[in-house]
Amino acid sequence: MITDSNYERVYSGSEINANYLKTYLEDSGIKSILRNDKESALRGGFGNYESEVLLFVEKENLIKAKHLVEKAFAEEQYIDSELEAEASQSRLEEEGYVSSEGRPLIQKGEKPQRSKWNLLINAALLIYSLWRLYPLTQGEDLSTFRIFLSGFIAAISAFALINHFRK
């Protein structure tokens, strides 16, 4: 800013925090100005690696603004019992199921089941990959990539089918 300006810097840091503070100060009735040198440099056609954004307020509101900035970033102190109580609370304990658009997704204590389409796709992949490997049983030569890929698909599909029917 200009040296004889009516503005003073109250914060320098990330753009996200600066925008938050600008809104916070404006909600408190203090006008503020953001200065982003990186954005200005990029628009001017030359790069700037500094990612610091500056927040300025009028000199007459400087003390109040500095107190608000400190207050905005002051961490709330929780005692251990409050944190344990908050961590032990769960929405799933209150509700029997989690729903989306009125239909239940997962019943509490119930394991999700595979759909019929999933089973059909796994079975089709298993049959197709075994068909691609069939020439090996006739003594023909196949590429290593074909053997590896078809064998991998067959193993994964078989594993999914076995897991489904094992339950």
Side-chain angles (χ1 to χ4, degrees):
M1 297 303 270
I2 302 172
T3 55
D4 60 343
S5 174
N6 193 30
Y7 290 90
E8 287 286 327
R9 185 181 71 191
V10 290
Y11 177 77
S12 61
S14 74
E15 186 174 1
I16 294 171
N17 287 342
N19 282 322
Y20 166 74
L21 283 174
K22 180 173 175 53
T23 305
Y24 185 69
L25 290 173
E26 287 177 356
D27 288 345
S28 300
I30 299 174
K31 285 188 173 184
S32 57
I33 297 174
L34 284 177
R35 186 176 96 185
N36 189 342
D37 292 334
K38 180 180 179 181
E39 186 69 28
S40 299
L42 290 173
R43 288 182 188 208
F46 51 94
N48 183 0
Y49 294 107
E50 294 179 27
S51 62
E52 200 169 76
V53 177
L54 305 172
L55 182 67
F56 293 89
V57 296
E58 292 178 339
K59 288 181 180 178
E60 59 195 38
N61 295 326
L62 182 63
I63 296 174
K64 183 177 178 187
K66 283 189 176 185
H67 286 297
L68 288 172
V69 168
E70 288 177 14
K71 182 181 173 186
F73 290 125
E75 294 185 21
E76 295 182 22
Q77 299 295 326
Y78 293 104
I79 56 175
D80 290 340
S81 60
E82 289 177 349
L83 290 174
E84 289 174 10
E86 191 172 322
S88 66
Q89 294 176 356
S90 172
R91 270 191 23 205
L92 290 178
E93 292 174 2
E94 298 168 3
E95 300 177 13
Y97 58 88
V98 178
S99 64
S100 172
E101 300 171 7
R103 63 184 177 94
L105 294 177
I106 300 173
Q107 296 289 337
K108 186 177 177 184
E110 175 186 333
K111 293 182 181 177
Q113 294 192 6
R114 294 186 183 270
S115 68
K116 290 182 182 2
W117 287 109
N118 190 303
L119 291 174
L120 181 67
I121 289 172
N122 279 322
L125 282 172
L126 179 62
I127 292 169
Y128 177 74
S129 59
L130 292 176
W131 174 74
R132 297 275 295 165
L133 291 172
Y134 179 74
L136 276 178
T137 62
Q138 304 302 315
E140 295 181 26
D141 288 335
L142 296 178
S143 70
T144 306
F145 180 74
R146 181 175 173 177
I147 294 170
F148 175 75
L149 186 62
S150 295
F152 180 75
I153 292 171
I156 295 297
S157 300
F159 180 75
L161 289 170
I162 290 169
N163 268 349
H164 174 76
F165 289 113
R166 186 170 42 172
K167 292 178 184 179

